[in-house]
Amino acid sequence: MNMPAPSFAQFLSKPKDIGMPKSIMLYGKPGTRKTSLSAELVKLPETKKILILDIDNGTEALVGDPIVEKALHSGQVDVMAVDSLDPNAFAQINAVIQEVANTDFGYSFVVLDTLNLMQEVAIKHFLATTTNSSGKLDSRAAWGEVSKWTDAMARMLHNAPHTAGIFVMHEKNEAEDTGQVSVIPKLSGSSKDTIASIPSVVIHLGFEKVAVGEGDDEQVVDKLVANLGGSEKYVSKNRFRLPDRIEDFTLVDMYHRIAARGEESAEAPAKAA
């Protein structure tokens, strides 16, 4: 017997939409490969195109990887550079994010590099344009607009039906009343407290000295380490049962791990049957 389709059928989520991150946040000190790790997602077979909205001049780091360089020349990786001192910078950023979030241009990933510098552009804009009922500039209201705009841009990409957002950010230390210091994404206003709730995965990146080998062959080397959870020191989030800590981290490897977990889950009902 054929049952009627509900009026909301078109809004039901597909398994493929549930099984992969809708957005990812990478944050850490400069030089922790945040931009290059994002561009390396072009190595995933399912990646069609990547757009990098570059306000940090971070795409210079892409030179050196032959696969990424080839993707740059072929147009599989597009870079839009925005000068933060340009009077039209805020309008450009705002328009691009809204356009790619609402229209399918074939971008599998849209990289905001960096979100905190984009917020600084927004701060200048809202401080210069936000007024009170008397028509005078209102700095207090302007900061509220900055936070709302930052969260709205992140949510827009997180909820975009055609693309996934990658939010690249710097880090800062925040001291609590207890004296404990946490490493958090570098944002101003209330966004610093709310932004981590938006992405599917929040990853802190940093180089750490790690012992490798055993006995006489043991040596200490610097490795890029991703902290994805289980730590009071870092703001992080992990909705995909990934390890709390991953050495020699790459986003490509992370996607492979998530895909493998999904394949195991899909096979389980068949084995049970």
Side-chain angles (χ1 to χ4, degrees):
M1 179 178 178
N2 293 327
M3 302 295 290
S7 60
F8 52 83
Q10 62 179 313
F11 302 111
L12 297 176
S13 298
K14 305 293 189 296
K16 66 179 180 61
D17 299 324
I18 297 173
M20 286 293 171
K22 297 171 72 176
S23 66
I24 298 167
M25 179 184 294
L26 298 174
Y27 76 103
K29 289 183 171 64
T32 45
R33 300 192 61 234
K34 300 179 293 295
T35 302
S36 57
L37 288 174
S38 301
E40 286 173 8
L41 286 168
V42 76
K43 298 176 182 179
L44 292 174
E46 57 270 27
T47 297
K48 293 176 286 186
K49 295 172 64 179
I50 297 175
L51 172 65
I52 301 177
L53 189 55
D54 177 24
I55 197 172
D56 197 20
N57 295 318
T59 47
E60 295 173 351
L62 305 185
V63 177
D65 186 314
I67 295 177
V68 174
E69 284 194 49
K70 182 179 178 180
L72 281 165
H73 288 293
S74 69
Q76 192 179 6
V77 174
D78 287 337
V79 177
M80 179 179 173
V82 178
D83 182 354
S84 62
L85 299 179
D86 188 327
N88 296 317
F90 176 78
Q92 290 177 334
I93 294 168
N94 199 55
V96 170
I97 294 176
Q98 293 203 43
E99 192 172 0
V100 295
N102 292 291
T103 306
D104 187 1
F105 297 108
Y107 292 116
S108 300
F109 300 98
V110 175
V111 183
L112 303 187
D113 187 13
T114 61
L115 182 56
N116 50 282
L117 288 181
M118 292 180 187
Q119 190 192 50
E120 290 181 15
V121 171
I123 289 170
K124 294 178 184 177
H125 168 79
F126 286 112
L127 285 175
T129 59
T130 305
T131 58
N132 57 23
S133 58
S134 302
K136 295 182 179 180
L137 291 176
D138 188 335
S139 60
R140 183 174 181 178
W143 282 104
E145 292 299 317
V146 168
S147 295
K148 286 192 289 185
W149 178 85
T150 306
D151 290 358
M153 292 300 103
R155 290 186 188 282
M156 194 176 297
L157 279 180
H158 179 79
N159 295 319
H162 311 295
T163 189
I166 308 291
F167 311 136
V168 176
M169 302 182 65
H170 298 313
E171 69 175 45
K172 71 175 180 180
N173 294 333
E174 182 173 84
E176 300 178 3
D177 294 338
T178 60
Q180 182 171 320
V181 176
S182 297
V183 182
I184 66 173
K186 186 179 180 181
L187 282 179
S188 300
S190 62
S191 293
K192 68 181 178 63
D193 300 316
T194 60
I195 193 69
S197 67
I198 298 173
S200 305
V201 186
V202 177
I203 304 166
H204 174 266
L205 292 170
F207 286 103
E208 298 181 15
K209 293 191 178 300
V210 178
V212 297
E214 296 180 356
D216 295 338
D217 295 327
E218 182 177 307
Q219 55 182 324
V220 176
V221 299
D222 287 326
K223 285 195 174 186
L224 184 64
V225 175
N227 293 285
L228 292 85
S231 170
E232 295 181 356
K233 182 177 180 180
Y234 303 107
V235 170
S236 56
K237 184 168 65 178
N238 174 5
R239 292 177 173 170
F240 295 91
R241 299 197 299 274
L242 295 163
D244 288 345
R245 172 188 163 93
I246 301 177
E247 296 179 5
D248 295 326
F249 176 82
T250 71
L251 280 174
V252 172
D253 174 63
M254 188 192 80
Y255 268 85
H256 286 325
R257 288 172 183 256
I258 295 173
R261 187 214 63 185
E263 290 168 3
E264 291 173 1
S265 299
E267 291 173 0
K271 290 180 180 178

